[in-house]
CSV table of all heavy atoms in Angstrom, one decimal:
chain,number,residue,atom,x,y,z
A,1,LEU,N,78.4,97.9,109.8
A,1,LEU,CA,79.0,98.9,110.6
A,1,LEU,C,80.0,99.9,110.0
A,1,LEU,O,80.0,101.1,110.2
A,1,LEU,CB,79.6,98.4,111.9
A,1,LEU,CG,78.7,97.6,112.8
A,1,LEU,CD1,79.4,96.9,113.9
A,1,LEU,CD2,77.7,98.6,113.5
A,2,GLY,N,80.8,99.3,109.0
A,2,GLY,CA,81.7,100.1,108.2
A,2,GLY,C,81.1,101.1,107.4
A,2,GLY,O,81.5,102.3,107.2
A,3,VAL,N,80.1,100.7,106.7
A,3,VAL,CA,79.2,101.6,105.8
A,3,VAL,C,78.6,102.7,106.6
A,3,VAL,O,78.6,103.9,106.3
A,3,VAL,CB,78.2,100.8,105.0
A,3,VAL,CG1,77.3,101.7,104.2
A,3,VAL,CG2,78.9,99.8,104.1
A,4,TYR,N,78.1,102.3,107.8
A,4,TYR,CA,77.3,103.3,108.7
A,4,TYR,C,78.3,104.2,109.2
A,4,TYR,O,78.1,105.4,109.3
A,4,TYR,CB,76.6,102.5,109.8
A,4,TYR,CG,75.9,103.3,110.8
A,4,TYR,CD1,74.8,104.0,110.5
A,4,TYR,CD2,76.5,103.5,112.1
A,4,TYR,CE1,74.2,104.9,111.4
A,4,TYR,CE2,75.9,104.3,113.0
A,4,TYR,CZ,74.6,105.0,112.7
A,4,TYR,OH,74.0,105.8,113.6
A,5,MET,N,79.6,103.8,109.5
A,5,MET,CA,80.6,104.7,110.1
A,5,MET,C,80.9,105.7,109.1
A,5,MET,O,81.1,106.9,109.4
A,5,MET,CB,81.8,103.8,110.4
A,5,MET,CG,82.9,104.7,111.3
A,5,MET,SD,84.3,103.7,111.7
A,5,MET,CE,83.7,102.7,113.1
A,6,THR,N,81.1,105.3,107.7
A,6,THR,CA,81.4,106.1,106.7
A,6,THR,C,80.4,107.3,106.5
A,6,THR,O,80.7,108.5,106.2
A,6,THR,CB,81.6,105.4,105.4
A,6,THR,OG1,82.6,104.3,105.6
A,6,THR,CG2,82.0,106.3,104.3
A,7,ARG,N,79.1,106.8,106.6
A,7,ARG,CA,78.0,107.8,106.4
A,7,ARG,C,78.0,108.9,107.4
A,7,ARG,O,77.8,110.0,107.2
A,7,ARG,CB,76.7,107.0,106.4
A,7,ARG,CG,76.4,106.2,105.1
A,7,ARG,CD,75.2,105.3,105.3
A,7,ARG,NE,75.0,104.5,104.1
A,7,ARG,CZ,74.1,103.4,104.0
A,7,ARG,NH1,73.3,103.2,105.1
A,7,ARG,NH2,74.0,102.8,102.9
A,8,VAL,N,78.1,108.4,108.8
A,8,VAL,CA,78.1,109.5,109.9
A,8,VAL,C,79.4,110.3,109.9
A,8,VAL,O,79.3,111.5,110.2
A,8,VAL,CB,78.1,108.7,111.2
A,8,VAL,CG1,76.6,108.0,111.3
A,8,VAL,CG2,79.1,107.8,111.6
A,9,GLN,N,80.4,109.8,109.4
A,9,GLN,CA,81.7,110.6,109.3
A,9,GLN,C,81.5,111.7,108.1
A,9,GLN,O,81.8,112.8,108.4
A,9,GLN,CB,82.8,109.7,108.8
A,9,GLN,CG,84.1,110.5,108.7
A,9,GLN,CD,85.3,109.5,108.2
A,9,GLN,OE1,85.0,108.5,107.7
A,9,GLN,NE2,86.5,110.1,108.3
A,10,LYS,N,80.8,111.3,107.0
A,10,LYS,CA,80.6,112.3,106.0
A,10,LYS,C,79.5,113.4,106.4
A,10,LYS,O,79.5,114.5,106.0
A,10,LYS,CB,80.0,111.6,104.8
A,10,LYS,CG,81.2,110.9,104.0
A,10,LYS,CD,80.6,110.2,102.8
A,10,LYS,CE,81.8,109.3,102.1
A,10,LYS,NZ,81.2,108.6,100.9
A,11,ALA,N,78.8,112.9,107.3
A,11,ALA,CA,77.7,113.9,108.0
A,11,ALA,C,78.3,114.8,109.1
A,11,ALA,O,77.5,115.5,109.7
A,11,ALA,CB,76.5,113.2,108.4
A,12,TYR,N,79.6,114.6,109.5
A,12,TYR,CA,80.3,115.3,110.6
A,12,TYR,C,79.6,114.9,111.9
A,12,TYR,O,79.7,115.7,112.8
A,12,TYR,CB,80.5,116.7,110.3
A,12,TYR,CG,81.3,117.1,109.0
A,12,TYR,CD1,80.7,117.3,107.9
A,12,TYR,CD2,82.7,117.0,109.1
A,12,TYR,CE1,81.4,117.6,106.7
A,12,TYR,CE2,83.5,117.3,108.0
A,12,TYR,CZ,82.8,117.5,106.9
A,12,TYR,OH,83.6,117.8,105.7
A,13,ALA,N,79.0,113.7,112.0
A,13,ALA,CA,78.4,113.3,113.3
A,13,ALA,C,79.4,112.5,114.1
A,13,ALA,O,79.3,111.3,114.1
A,13,ALA,CB,77.1,112.6,113.1
A,14,PHE,N,80.4,113.2,114.6
A,14,PHE,CA,81.6,112.5,115.2
A,14,PHE,C,81.1,111.8,116.6
A,14,PHE,O,81.7,110.8,116.9
A,14,PHE,CB,82.7,113.4,115.5
A,14,PHE,CG,83.3,114.0,114.2
A,14,PHE,CD1,83.2,115.3,114.0
A,14,PHE,CD2,83.8,113.1,113.4
A,14,PHE,CE1,83.9,115.8,112.8
A,14,PHE,CE2,84.4,113.5,112.1
A,14,PHE,CZ,84.4,115.0,111.9
A,15,ASP,N,80.0,112.2,117.2
A,15,ASP,CA,79.6,111.5,118.4
A,15,ASP,C,79.1,110.2,118.0
A,15,ASP,O,79.3,109.1,118.7
A,15,ASP,CB,78.4,112.3,119.1
A,15,ASP,CG,77.3,112.7,118.2
A,15,ASP,OD1,77.5,112.7,116.9
A,15,ASP,OD2,76.2,113.2,118.7
A,16,LYS,N,78.4,110.1,116.8
A,16,LYS,CA,77.9,108.7,116.3
A,16,LYS,C,79.0,107.9,115.9
A,16,LYS,O,79.0,106.7,116.1
A,16,LYS,CB,76.9,109.0,115.2
A,16,LYS,CG,75.6,109.6,115.6
A,16,LYS,CD,74.6,109.8,114.4
A,16,LYS,CE,73.4,110.5,114.8
A,16,LYS,NZ,72.5,110.7,113.7
A,17,MET,N,80.0,108.6,115.3
A,17,MET,CA,81.3,107.8,114.9
A,17,MET,C,81.9,107.1,116.1
A,17,MET,O,82.3,105.9,116.0
A,17,MET,CB,82.1,108.6,114.2
A,17,MET,CG,83.1,107.8,113.2
A,17,MET,SD,84.0,109.0,112.1
A,17,MET,CE,85.6,109.2,113.0
A,18,PHE,N,82.1,107.9,117.1
A,18,PHE,CA,82.8,107.3,118.4
A,18,PHE,C,81.9,106.3,118.9
A,18,PHE,O,82.4,105.3,119.4
A,18,PHE,CB,83.0,108.4,119.3
A,18,PHE,CG,84.3,109.2,119.2
A,18,PHE,CD1,84.5,110.2,118.3
A,18,PHE,CD2,85.4,108.8,119.8
A,18,PHE,CE1,85.7,110.9,118.1
A,18,PHE,CE2,86.6,109.5,119.7
A,18,PHE,CZ,86.8,110.5,118.8
A,19,ALA,N,80.5,106.4,118.8
A,19,ALA,CA,79.6,105.4,119.4
A,19,ALA,C,79.8,104.0,118.7
A,19,ALA,O,79.8,103.0,119.2
A,19,ALA,CB,78.2,105.9,119.2
A,20,VAL,N,80.0,104.2,117.3
A,20,VAL,CA,80.3,103.0,116.5
A,20,VAL,C,81.6,102.2,116.9
A,20,VAL,O,81.7,101.1,117.0
A,20,VAL,CB,80.3,103.3,115.0
A,20,VAL,CG1,80.6,102.1,114.2
A,20,VAL,CG2,78.9,103.9,114.5
A,21,ILE,N,82.6,103.1,117.2
A,21,ILE,CA,83.9,102.6,117.5
A,21,ILE,C,83.8,101.9,118.9
A,21,ILE,O,84.3,100.8,119.0
A,21,ILE,CB,85.0,103.8,117.7
A,21,ILE,CG1,85.3,104.4,116.4
A,21,ILE,CG2,86.2,103.2,118.3
A,21,ILE,CD1,86.0,105.6,116.4
A,22,VAL,N,83.0,102.4,119.8
A,22,VAL,CA,82.8,101.7,121.1
A,22,VAL,C,82.0,100.4,120.8
A,22,VAL,O,82.3,99.5,121.5
A,22,VAL,CB,82.0,102.7,122.1
A,22,VAL,CG1,81.6,101.9,123.3
A,22,VAL,CG2,82.8,103.9,122.4
A,23,PHE,N,81.1,100.5,120.0
A,23,PHE,CA,80.3,99.3,119.7
A,23,PHE,C,81.0,98.2,119.1
A,23,PHE,O,80.9,97.0,119.4
A,23,PHE,CB,79.1,99.8,118.8
A,23,PHE,CG,78.0,98.7,118.6
A,23,PHE,CD1,77.2,98.4,119.5
A,23,PHE,CD2,77.9,98.0,117.4
A,23,PHE,CE1,76.1,97.4,119.4
A,23,PHE,CE2,77.0,97.0,117.2
A,23,PHE,CZ,76.1,96.7,118.3
A,24,VAL,N,81.9,98.5,118.1
A,24,VAL,CA,82.8,97.5,117.5
A,24,VAL,C,83.8,96.9,118.6
A,24,VAL,O,84.0,95.7,118.6
A,24,VAL,CB,83.6,98.2,116.3
A,24,VAL,CG1,84.8,97.3,115.9
A,24,VAL,CG2,82.8,98.6,115.2
A,25,SER,N,84.4,97.8,119.4
A,25,SER,CA,85.2,97.3,120.5
A,25,SER,C,84.5,96.4,121.5
A,25,SER,O,85.1,95.3,121.8
A,25,SER,CB,85.7,98.5,121.3
A,25,SER,OG,86.5,99.4,120.5
A,26,ALA,N,83.2,96.6,121.8
A,26,ALA,CA,82.4,95.8,122.7
A,26,ALA,C,82.2,94.5,121.9
A,26,ALA,O,82.3,93.4,122.6
A,26,ALA,CB,81.1,96.5,122.9
A,27,ILE,N,81.9,94.4,120.6
A,27,ILE,CA,81.7,93.1,120.0
A,27,ILE,C,83.0,92.3,119.9
A,27,ILE,O,82.9,91.1,120.1
A,27,ILE,CB,81.2,93.4,118.5
A,27,ILE,CG1,79.8,94.0,118.5
A,27,ILE,CG2,81.3,92.1,117.7
A,27,ILE,CD1,79.4,94.5,117.1
A,28,SER,N,84.1,92.9,119.7
A,28,SER,CA,85.4,92.2,119.7
A,28,SER,C,85.6,91.6,121.1
A,28,SER,O,86.1,90.4,121.1
A,28,SER,CB,86.5,93.2,119.3
A,28,SER,OG,86.3,93.7,118.0
């Protein structure tokens, strides 16, 4: 997930980045 988050951040896909943050929070 960290690698995927870095990739979407570099692509300026901030909606996907926030989606990953929500997903990580849900897992925790």
Side-chain angles (χ1 to χ4, degrees):
L1 289 171
V3 176
Y4 179 68
M5 188 183 287
T6 306
R7 287 173 184 167
V8 297
Q9 183 185 11
K10 287 178 180 177
Y12 296 99
F14 293 119
D15 54 343
K16 291 180 182 178
M17 198 171 98
F18 272 85
V20 179
I21 292 169
V22 172
F23 191 72
V24 170
S25 299
I27 292 172
S28 297

